[in-house]
Amino acid sequence: MNKKEIVKTQNLTIDYSSLTVVINSTKEEIKISLNEANLLFLLYSNPNRIYTKDEIYTQCWEDGSVANSVVTQTISLLRKKFLTHNISIIDTIKNKGYKSGDRLLAKPIKKFYFLFFSVLILVSLFLIFPIFKQVAPNSITQNLNKVSDNIYMLSTSKPIDITKLNIQPNYLYFLHLGEDKLSLSQCLFIEHKCNDVTNKIIFLETNEDNVETLINQNLTSDLEQDNNPIIQKDSDQDGNFNLHTNVQFTSNDDKDYIAFATYNFYFNLQEDKSYDLDMSINISETGYNGKYTYFSDFKAQFDKDTLISNVINEDEQSSLIQHGHIEDQTKLKMFPKTFKNDNKYNYLHFYIIDKGFSLTYSEQQDISFIVKEFY
């Protein structure tokens, strides 16, 4: 293959020499790195061929000093970059590898929401009903309970005295008190939709006698109204959907500890109606100089009736990419033990807030946070 050639597809024009990709319909130009260009040229020059991760690594990376997990990282970054332009750039073929995508996605509402939203909207989602029941085989039974006008708690949470909380009007609060973590999410709720959200997870490393005071110390009233609301259109014809969120981690015992994590979930519908779930978590935390990124490739069964996703770690396809180094091992709380998959199965529970936001609960980590659909 002559890398000076220009590869043109239905939706894209890939120019290796200038390291750019042009969206044909809008003429928008996207800059890409050399490794990204190598990867795209390999896949798009042979659009019907499926490449394994090792094949991509061998043909696209001249520097053999980096691990082949860099392939997963580059694909994840490319997907995120092109999803902002409504393009599905690369397809994952479960247990085989990757191939070119080149699909134009419709903007939300995605099929994930479209299939059940028509039912839930008739009851004004969860703003009218105080309880949503969810049951799935082998998963825990859990509800999202409305405990006051603007406070919601997962039924699996330990008790919290909500009368002691300093809540604000126009905010929704989502609480879960687990054995060793407190999950606190807030949503600025104006005109029947979330305008801005914040997620905090607090490690409870010592006994917390007054959890209500801890919650009050971590509440915010600085969220901003969204002046550029999402325009809802048709669903994604391929049934794919993507979720994103930012989470702050702190500790009730170590006041100097803080971590920031960005979660990205890419659900890709497969021919057998299951989903291939590509997940990436980009983290910075006290004790680590720089950032590191955790990547996993799972198989997911998503039940659209209960809104529970059974995440299966079949092949242990996980990798850790470091963009820095450990500075103080004793300060670390997430690297890397938080992401060790001792169980093959995990369950993600979804509770719809509005057309663009959901509360997600992870059984394995026993935490909850608000996620946003992105595209």
Side-chain angles (χ1 to χ4, degrees):
M1 176 183 67
N2 181 2
K3 289 184 177 179
K4 292 184 179 180
E5 292 178 353
I6 293 177
V7 173
K8 189 169 184 177
T9 71
Q10 180 179 357
N11 297 301
L12 306 170
T13 300
I14 308 169
D15 188 338
Y16 188 89
S17 61
S18 65
L19 297 180
T20 59
V21 179
V22 175
I23 308 298
N24 295 338
S25 59
T26 63
K27 306 304 179 184
E28 293 178 89
E29 187 175 277
I30 304 169
K31 288 291 185 181
I32 56 176
S33 68
L34 179 60
N35 288 330
E36 290 173 339
N38 287 335
L39 196 155
L40 289 179
F41 256 75
L42 177 67
L43 298 185
Y44 278 81
S45 296
N46 303 277
N48 296 319
R49 179 175 171 182
I50 300 171
Y51 289 88
T52 67
K53 182 166 69 172
D54 287 339
E55 287 175 330
I56 295 173
Y57 176 72
T58 300
Q59 297 192 46
C60 297
W61 269 265
E62 297 178 357
D63 182 5
S65 64
V66 296
N68 67 355
S69 54
V70 73
V71 173
T72 310
Q73 178 189 21
T74 303
I75 289 174
S76 179
L77 293 174
L78 277 169
R79 282 174 172 163
K80 184 175 181 180
K81 185 180 294 185
F82 282 88
L83 278 169
T84 62
H85 296 271
N86 214 29
I87 296 287
S88 178
I89 191 73
I90 296 172
D91 288 340
T92 297
I93 309 301
K94 189 63 179 179
N95 296 326
K96 293 183 179 180
Y98 304 93
K99 66 184 294 290
S100 62
D102 193 32
R103 295 194 312 278
L104 185 63
L105 303 177
K107 292 188 177 180
I109 186 170
K110 299 268 193 271
K111 196 168 188 178
F112 167 60
Y113 293 123
F114 182 78
L115 291 175
F116 54 75
F117 191 75
S118 59
V119 177
L120 294 183
I121 196 171
L122 296 176
V123 294
S124 300
L125 303 175
F126 67 75
L127 297 178
I128 292 178
F129 282 159
I131 296 177
F132 286 88
K133 295 185 178 296
Q134 296 190 7
V135 179
N138 301 321
S139 71
I140 64 172
T141 300
Q142 185 187 71
N143 308 314
L144 181 64
N145 296 337
K146 184 176 182 179
V147 295
S148 75
D149 287 343
N150 52 351
I151 299 178
Y152 296 81
M153 287 180 58
L154 293 171
S155 59
T156 51
S157 173
K158 290 183 176 182
I160 298 173
D161 187 354
I162 64 171
T163 63
K164 296 181 179 179
L165 302 183
N166 301 325
I167 61 175
Q168 301 290 327
N170 295 329
Y171 278 80
L172 296 182
Y173 301 84
F174 302 88
L175 307 174
H176 175 69
L177 179 57
E179 291 296 329
D180 57 1
K181 289 182 283 290
L182 169 66
S183 301
L184 167 61
S185 296
Q186 291 179 245
C187 158
L188 178 61
F189 202 77
I190 299 177
E191 298 178 353
H192 306 291
K193 69 181 183 71
C194 277
N195 283 251
D196 195 6
V197 301
T198 182
N199 296 298
K200 293 184 179 181
I201 309 294
I202 304 169
F203 292 110
L204 304 177
E205 299 175 296
T206 57
N207 291 333
E208 186 62 51
D209 297 327
N210 194 345
V211 69
E212 293 79 14
T213 299
L214 183 62
I215 293 174
N216 285 331
Q217 291 171 346
N218 284 274
L219 293 179
T220 182
S221 58
D222 297 331
L223 298 183
E224 298 181 354
Q225 185 171 359
D226 183 6
N227 294 318
N228 297 294
I230 296 174
I231 299 175
Q232 302 294 345
K233 293 189 178 180
D234 198 3
S235 62
D236 175 6
Q237 61 182 357
D238 297 304
N240 304 323
F241 60 96
N242 309 281
L243 305 172
H244 166 85
T245 195
N246 295 308
V247 183
Q248 180 189 95
F249 292 81
T250 57
S251 167
N252 73 328
D253 183 55
D254 184 355
K255 302 304 180 184
D256 294 327
Y257 176 82
I258 192 168
F260 297 95
T262 298
Y263 288 74
N264 289 301
F265 302 90
Y266 303 89
F267 285 82
N268 303 297
L269 185 62
Q270 305 298 296
E271 291 183 357
D272 63 358
K273 304 304 181 183
S274 69
Y275 286 87
D276 181 78
L277 170 58
D278 291 330
M279 180 183 72
S280 68
I281 312 174
N282 188 265
I283 302 167
S284 61
E285 69 169 322
T286 301
Y288 193 92
N289 189 333
K291 295 183 178 181
Y292 56 93
T293 305
Y294 175 79
F295 293 93
S296 284
D297 185 5
F298 299 115
K299 186 179 181 67
Q301 299 288 343
F302 185 78
D303 188 325
K304 297 181 179 67
D305 294 323
T306 62
L307 309 189
I308 297 175
S309 179
N310 178 10
V311 179
I312 307 168
N313 185 25
E314 285 186 324
D315 306 316
E316 297 184 354
Q317 296 186 35
S318 301
S319 59
L320 187 70
I321 306 296
Q322 297 193 51
H323 309 283
H325 62 273
I326 295 175
E327 201 167 50
D328 187 344
Q329 182 76 45
T330 63
K331 295 288 186 180
L332 297 175
K333 302 185 187 301
M334 299 177 67
F335 177 92
K337 57 185 178 182
T338 301
F339 308 107
K340 287 185 177 179
N341 294 310
D342 297 327
N343 300 319
K344 180 178 179 180
Y345 298 98
N346 184 26
Y347 289 89
L348 299 176
H349 298 241
F350 295 92
Y351 300 89
I352 304 303
I353 299 175
D354 64 16
K355 293 184 179 180
F357 292 88
S358 300
L359 183 73
T360 299
Y361 172 78
S362 169
E363 286 192 18
Q364 191 172 76
Q365 291 183 287
D366 191 26
I367 60 174
S368 64
F369 43 75
I370 295 174
V371 295
K372 179 180 180 180
E373 183 184 17
F374 75 98
Y375 45 92

